[in-house]
Every structure is written in C-alpha cells, then in structure tokens.
Amino acid sequence: MDSTSDGTSDDTPDGTPDGTSDGTSDDLADLRSWQAPLRAQFPIITAHPELAYLDNAATSQKPQAVLDAVHTYLTTSNANAGRGTYPWANATTALVERTRDQVKRFLHDPDPGRSAVHFTSGTTEGLRTVALDWLPALLTDGDEIIVPFADHRANLDPWLEAQQLLSRRGTHIQVRQLPYQTSSGDYDPAALAAHLTPHTRFIAATHVHHVYGGDMNVHRLRETAGPDIPICLDAAQSVGHLPVSLAELDVDFVVFSGHKALAPPGTGALWSRGARGPAFRPGGWPGTPNTAGIAGLAAALDWLDAAGPDRIERWTVALAARLTDGLSRLAPYQILGCRASLPAASEVQRRRSIVTFRHRDISSNDLGFILYSHGFMVRSDHHCQAGTDAGAKDGSVRVSLHVHNTPEEVDALLSTLTSLQ
C-alpha cells in the first residue's frame, strides 16, 4: 500500500470485487434478523426515518433501556452516594459499586480483586487523571515517555501537560512519539523497539483510531515493551463497539467514554490494574458522582452484553466495508487510512465502524452540509486529531457506524456521493 504521511493515498485499488459474495456481505445477511429488533429500540432513530445518524464516534444514540434506567433512578431512588444511611442513599451507593464491578466484567478483567474503576465524565478526563494524578509519581529527572502524536488530542495533550507540570517542579522528562507504520497506519513495533531506552517509563496508545478506523494492534506494544513498562489505553472507539479483553491486552489503564457506548453524556470510566508503578489514586476530593449517568452506564453495558459485542463488531465492520468498497470506485473521493482494506473482499484487517474521506473538489464542511440536506448526519472537520495543521489542508468527512445503522443507509449515502462526482 502506498500512503502519504497522513495515511491517505491518491491511487485507487485495481480489480475491486463487486462485493456480492464476500464475507462482509454474508455477515450482513446472517445478522439481519438480529439487527432489526435492536434498531427498533432506539427512539430517536425510529422517530426520524428520514435521517441517517452516522456520527457515532462523536457520541452514540441511546436505546430505550438506557433512557428507562435513568428515568427510573431519578424517580425512585435519587440520592447521593456514600453520604447517607437511609434507603435511597444506600441504594445509590450500591448502584455505584455494582457498576464498578460491571465495568470489570464487561472488560473481561482477569483479576478484578486487584483492579479499580474510577468514574469520569469521559475519556479526556480519564486520560488527564492518569497524566496528572498518577504519572508524575512514576517519573524522575531524565525519564522518557512514549505517546501517540497522530491520534486524538486527548491522548497527547495530557502527557504534554504532565511534562510541563514536572518541569515547573524541576523534573525534566522527554516525551517521544510512538512510531507508526506508513503502510497500514498501525503502530510500528519494530520502530518502537528502537525507541526504548533504560529511561522509558510509560507508553500511551489508542485501541481503535478515531479517524482511520484501524485496530492499532496494541497487544504488539506489550510484546515489544516487555513486562515492566505501564501502558495506558484510550479505548473510546472500542468499548461498546467490539469485544475488549483485558486478559489479551495486558495494559495498565483503560479509559473509555460511556456516551460513545450507548450511555448518557458525561459518563465514562477509568480502569486501573495496579500491577506496575505506584498505586492509582485520583487526586482531590471526589465530590458527588454522576449517579444518574452511572445508572445509564450500567444499563448500557447490560444492553451491549445482551446484544453481543462480537455481533456488533461483525455488523459495523461489514457496513464499513460496504462503504469503503463503494467509495473506492468513485474517483473524486480520497479515503483516509489503509488503502489495502478498501475492497469488500480484502483479507487485511478491517476498519472498525469508521470511514473517513475527502472530496477532491468540495470542502469537507460544504460536503457535510450537502449530506445533511440529503438526510445524512456526519462529522466534517479535523476530528480533534493531534498534529493536524488546520491551515495546511482541508478537513475530512467521517462516517461512524453503530448497531442501529443499516445497509440501506450506506447504499443511500453512496448514491448521494455518486451524484456529487
């Protein structure tokens, strides 16, 4: 695959198959009867059949069970957690603790007695909590940390903030870039090995890229880094979209946003392992937790468990393949990320529910407005990507899919994009 430095390419693949007999089409056919009743459980989706919501990487829509859970909590047992002895307060405290355990189970935590779950407003707050409340105690003068420079800004800015904080205290550390493969956009384990030194103390990484949609193969980072270096994982685009197994990942922190995983806004969780480095303790007084949001998060995890993260992954990966296969035939469109994954019958690793592209003549903002006029809600800008110079090039349009989306929505989008050639 030939790629430019931003993971894009101007060539189009040759010999693209028609997509009628590939495995992704089979998945869509096999899962159709499973998906239809799940789509029907999203009130905002069923209330607007004329619209296609394709911005799930920014925030997800909520099934009725999540809305009911928040309403039931607020109308039957709303109270503060850990600050009362009456029944409503006790029930709320039990809800919070029960949901901590539920997060561990959902992530397939192999040692839940040793780990901890801290609730946050989302991934950004969780990563900043690791960076500012835990990381400084790990580092001394001359140490190095390795972090991604081309993922979401939430997985770069907090580490730079920690570097500045330590510098003001007289401790100077180096922040080094986690290397990428130019061919696939994945992290580059071989190049990472060359970056490691006796002073490397910490690595931050992303599970699924929020622009290119690729699974970043984080397990390879552990193989390269060895058993002793803590790894913090931004799982904002994986939790709720595909199965996540802590036993397989072997990382020390996992941070995710509940609102991207069918839960209400302002919810998220930070899971910490407690096996490498100092014990994790969030700084400051904890204050009142978002108890209604936690009730919604618990319901969302229940819903996802019942639906099956493996089937959600199969469905959305197949939809993304249908979209990239169609887009790859349209000359004006430049699809960002790995070109080898575009054809529907490609055998390389698939995009996980996210497809991002540009039109060669229409700006991304204009294209976003045009698509909404045809009933498609997409993201059109720089997607909070670190390292993007907003004045140097146009943004892009991102389509991000979830379980409520359908092949008909993808086909209608392709039809509209075709009309804009």
Side-chain angles (χ1 to χ4, degrees), residues 173-398:
I173 67 166
Q174 184 173 358
V175 180
R176 307 191 68 179
Q177 178 174 352
L178 184 59
Y180 300 80
Q181 295 177 348
T182 56
S183 60
S184 66
D186 289 352
Y187 299 130
D188 188 337
L192 173 62
H195 278 54
L196 297 174
T197 76
H199 297 285
T200 303
R201 295 286 182 263
F202 174 81
I203 295 172
T206 300
H207 198 184
V208 172
H209 200 279
H210 75 293
V211 176
Y212 306 133
D215 183 326
M216 302 300 284
N217 287 300
V218 177
H219 63 281
R220 297 177 185 169
L221 300 184
R222 172 58 66 202
E223 295 169 2
T224 302
D228 299 325
I229 298 176
I231 296 176
C232 178
L233 187 63
D234 172 353
Q237 302 299 344
S238 57
V239 171
H241 298 264
L242 63 142
V244 176
S245 172
L246 294 169
E248 296 176 4
L249 291 170
D250 192 12
V251 295
D252 300 271
F253 297 95
V254 170
V255 188
F256 69 92
S257 298
H259 74 92
K260 299 180 191 290
L262 312 186
T267 59
L270 161 58
W271 172 91
S272 60
R273 184 182 185 191
R276 303 176 180 96
F280 171 73
R281 294 184 180 87
W285 180 254
T288 298
N290 178 3
T291 51
I294 292 170
L297 177 60
L301 297 182
D302 280 339
W303 194 95
L304 289 163
D305 260 334
D310 56 335
R311 288 176 290 184
I312 293 173
E313 179 186 26
R314 285 175 58 200
W315 181 260
T316 56
V317 166
L319 289 177
R322 192 182 188 99
L323 179 55
T324 57
D325 185 68
L327 270 175
S328 67
R329 306 166 192 272
L330 305 179
Y333 296 96
Q334 178 189 37
I335 306 173
L336 279 63
C338 178
R339 298 290 294 178
S341 68
L342 303 186
S346 171
E347 295 182 358
V348 306
Q349 179 174 257
R350 288 290 184 193
R351 294 157 194 257
R352 263 61 186 168
S353 76
I354 295 173
V355 178
T356 306
F357 57 91
R358 298 187 180 104
H359 192 288
R360 301 193 194 283
D361 301 314
I362 305 173
S363 73
S364 63
N365 284 339
D366 287 345
L367 186 54
F369 284 119
I370 292 169
L371 289 177
Y372 179 71
S373 73
H374 288 79
F376 304 102
M377 291 177 280
V378 298
R379 177 81 175 262
S380 54
D381 56 22
H382 292 281
H383 318 296
C384 303
Q385 185 173 5
T388 297
D389 182 352
K393 61 183 180 182
D394 190 18
S396 54
V397 169
R398 183 181 69 185

Side-chain angles (χ1 to χ4, degrees), residues 92-226:
T92 298
T93 300
L95 165 70
V96 172
E97 295 309 313
R98 187 167 63 248
T99 307
R100 294 188 204 277
D101 293 336
Q102 187 177 4
V103 169
K104 296 179 185 182
R105 290 194 303 272
F106 189 79
L107 299 178
H108 298 97
D109 187 342
D111 191 6
R114 186 170 186 173
S115 62
V117 171
H118 171 66
F119 292 113
T120 70
S121 63
T123 303
T124 299
E125 183 191 342
L127 292 170
R128 289 190 80 244
T129 300
V130 176
L132 302 181
D133 293 346
W134 178 84
L135 186 62
L138 179 73
L139 303 175
T140 59
D141 205 55
D143 283 344
E144 301 172 354
I145 64 175
I146 300 177
V147 304
F149 278 41
D151 297 355
H152 198 285
R153 286 191 61 177
N155 206 9
L156 174 61
D157 289 357
W159 316 120
L160 298 178
E161 191 176 356
Q163 181 188 37
Q164 295 166 1
L165 172 67
L166 286 165
S167 179
R168 291 194 295 270
R169 296 176 180 175
T171 300
H172 301 284
I173 67 166
Q174 184 173 358
V175 180
R176 307 191 68 179
Q177 178 174 352
L178 184 59
Y180 300 80
Q181 295 177 348
T182 56
S183 60
S184 66
D186 289 352
Y187 299 130
D188 188 337
L192 173 62
H195 278 54
L196 297 174
T197 76
H199 297 285
T200 303
R201 295 286 182 263
F202 174 81
I203 295 172
T206 300
H207 198 184
V208 172
H209 200 279
H210 75 293
V211 176
Y212 306 133
D215 183 326
M216 302 300 284
N217 287 300
V218 177
H219 63 281
R220 297 177 185 169
L221 300 184
R222 172 58 66 202
E223 295 169 2
T224 302

Side-chain angles (χ1 to χ4, degrees), residues 46-62:
T46 58
H48 297 281
E50 77 284 5
L51 299 174
Y53 183 78
L54 303 171
D55 195 20
N56 294 281
T59 196
S60 61
Q61 299 302 337
K62 323 306 175 190

